[in-house]
Amino acid sequence: MSFPSYLFRYYEFVDYYNFDREVVGVAMNYFDRFISSQQYCEYEHNILATYQTVAATALFLAIKLHATSCEISEEDISALRKRALGKILYGTTKPQDILDMEMNMLYGLDWKVNPPTLHNFAFMFCKFHPLSDICAESGSYLYEATRYQVELAIFMPELLANFNSSVIAYAALKNADEKIYAENPLILTEDGKRSLEAPTLHSEVVMMDPSQVIQCQMMLKRVCQLPDLDYFSDTDRKVSNSPTNVVDFCD
């Protein structure tokens, strides 16, 4: 049993309450770190139930601490958060198991419950990218396409095991960056070109191994075909059943 098997239902749950999907990344971080700190035997009695409790508790704790939304007021978010927590807690046959596991998880995580996530890095890298100041529409695409990739990256254990979150987010940013300039090479003014030539987000400046970034880019490209530049601004587009609500362009 692994956390990715829960990701689909977790994305659905988070989307239902309109929380930011970063919550799923936080829950995954809690789950992986807690499980790696424990010594569960795969032949242990009720091991499946234990993993299910850990997974539910990871989401429970992530929502309690990190559930936000840019589309809903703080007052409404507070009400939705209570409803979501109640749904998780009383959607199980033994609510006390979740509460007990919550304390075990907090101690197992050494109370380190604010991990840097893929979404955090995606937001910060896009914020400091010069393109965001050059063209608002392209800057928006840069961010949405980067988020799209990091959301799918959560389903790729080999990617998460071999690269830091910062490297994955930066590689996703570079893929989106290349897509924009390949399809719209005239977007840059002379000032824009000078901005991009500045070392603000070069891999050496953000202290990343360029070869790792390139390798990560290639792995992302194999599973994440980026949409057209006008995709995220198209209100009539088809909404897919994927956890990221992005059409599977690989089909």
Side-chain angles (χ1 to χ4, degrees), residues 187-200:
I187 190 174
L188 295 182
T189 62
E190 289 303 317
D191 288 340
K193 291 178 181 178
R194 283 193 292 271
S195 295
L196 288 175
E197 289 169 358
T200 310

Side-chain angles (χ1 to χ4, degrees), residues 42-188:
E42 62 178 305
Y43 301 109
E44 180 182 337
H45 180 60
N46 287 334
I47 187 63
L48 177 59
T50 300
Y51 274 110
Q52 289 174 336
T53 301
V54 172
T57 305
L59 184 63
F60 181 84
L61 190 58
I63 289 176
K64 180 184 288 189
L65 299 177
H66 294 279
T68 59
S69 174
C70 61
E71 302 176 3
I72 303 176
S73 68
E74 184 56 38
E75 182 179 349
D76 290 337
I77 276 290
S78 180
L80 283 175
R81 191 182 296 120
K82 292 176 182 178
R83 287 172 53 193
L85 294 176
K87 181 68 174 179
I88 295 174
L89 192 61
Y90 297 105
T92 62
T93 55
K94 297 180 179 179
Q96 189 61 42
D97 287 352
I98 301 291
L99 298 177
D100 293 341
M101 184 61 74
E102 180 184 22
M103 290 307 302
N104 291 336
M105 184 170 290
L106 287 169
Y107 282 110
L109 299 177
D110 197 23
W111 293 83
K112 296 177 180 177
V113 290
N114 295 293
T117 65
L118 289 165
H119 291 77
N120 288 150
F121 285 114
F123 175 77
M124 294 305 297
F125 287 150
C126 291
K127 181 179 179 180
F128 289 106
H129 195 288
L131 188 60
S132 298
D133 297 324
I134 297 170
C135 175
E137 185 175 341
S138 294
S140 176
Y141 177 90
L142 182 76
Y143 177 58
E144 293 294 343
T146 301
R147 274 181 62 100
Y148 162 61
Q149 292 173 86
V150 300
E151 286 176 3
L152 290 183
I154 294 177
F155 291 87
M156 303 169 63
E158 70 281 8
L159 197 69
L160 301 175
N162 291 297
F163 301 101
N164 291 333
S165 295
S166 56
V167 174
I168 297 172
Y170 185 71
L173 175 84
K174 295 294 289 181
N175 284 345
D177 180 277
E178 291 173 3
K179 174 78 171 180
I180 292 171
Y181 299 132
E183 294 193 9
N184 192 4
L186 301 179
I187 190 174
L188 295 182

